Amino acid sequence: MKICVFCSANEQIDSEFFTLTEELGKWAAENGHSIVYGGVNQGLMECVAKASKQAGGRLIGVVPMIVEKSGRISDYVDVEIPCDNLSDRKQLMMDQSDVFIALPGGIGTLDEVFTVAASATIGYHQKLVILYNMKGFWDSLIALLDDLQAKGMIRGDWRQYIKTADSIEEISRLL
């Protein structure tokens, strides 16, 4: 299976996020899954890549030209898929992946999660998005989605498109 990982490229974040991300990368490789990700050599992106690679995993980096020009491509990338911009990147990631796991991240991660989920809601694919809720990181987003649901702003149940998991064991059960 190709698992797309959306996550932060920031370094100055909770150290436990790095520990849990390492565990995910190792678990993915040990279970024969490839990682599709942004290919950046920083933050949780580099962390998941390194852990997966060290456990024998395969890394597919979808890398915008601007990242390549700045020299921020991870050395762990096995297959580089270049792209022009972030819109291209999201489409290529959707095309390459079977499932999506969102680790802690910011605006870019939210953009990726909602692009994939919105595409599923109108029938472009039936691929699952999982919010890996490390240390309750996604609790406020989950509350917002519940609030939007209660206000009738989401057709159906958002949990049809976005699942939540608090551990790798829960992720494994969802796959």
Side-chain angles (χ1 to χ4, degrees):
M1 179 179 291
K2 289 188 205 172
I3 299 173
C4 186
V5 175
F6 299 139
C7 60
S8 177
N10 291 333
E11 299 286 338
Q12 307 305 317
I13 58 176
D14 189 325
S15 64
E16 283 186 66
F17 293 155
F18 287 95
T19 301
L20 293 166
T21 297
E22 284 175 21
E23 291 172 7
L24 179 70
K26 182 179 176 189
W27 168 86
E30 289 174 349
N31 286 278
H33 305 304
S34 296
I35 300 284
V36 177
Y37 77 120
V40 173
N41 64 0
Q42 297 171 298
L44 297 182
M45 280 198 223
E46 182 76 341
C47 179
V48 74
K50 180 179 180 183
S52 179
K53 183 55 116 185
Q54 288 177 342
R58 182 169 177 255
L59 285 297
I60 301 165
V62 183
V63 184
M65 299 288 188
I66 196 167
V67 170
E68 190 169 0
K69 286 178 186 174
S70 68
R72 294 182 295 148
I73 297 176
S74 173
D75 292 336
Y76 298 109
V77 172
D78 294 306
V79 177
E80 179 187 343
I81 301 173
C83 59
D84 293 328
N85 55 53
L86 295 179
S87 295
D88 275 358
R89 183 193 223 180
K90 289 180 292 188
Q91 186 61 54
L92 288 163
M93 290 172 131
M94 278 194 284
D95 294 343
Q96 286 291 318
S97 304
D98 300 306
V99 67
F100 306 85
I101 299 176
L103 308 183
I107 292 170
T109 301
L110 288 171
D111 178 43
E112 292 162 336
V113 164
F114 286 115
T115 296
V116 174
S119 295
T121 65
I122 59 174
Y124 282 109
H125 63 80
Q126 294 181 334
K127 298 175 184 181
L128 188 61
V129 178
I130 301 168
L131 298 176
Y132 186 179
N133 197 23
M134 299 175 175
K135 295 181 66 180
F137 181 83
W138 295 114
D139 286 351
S140 57
L141 179 62
I142 292 165
L144 173 63
L145 289 167
D146 285 337
D147 185 51
L148 290 171
Q149 180 96 37
K151 291 177 177 168
M153 295 296 155
I154 299 175
R155 280 189 299 274
D157 183 352
W158 66 265
R159 288 175 182 84
Q160 293 173 260
Y161 311 103
I162 302 173
K163 304 290 183 188
T164 62
D166 294 329
S167 66
I168 291 173
E169 294 76 26
E170 286 182 31
I171 290 170
S172 186
R173 284 193 294 270
L174 290 169
L175 304 179

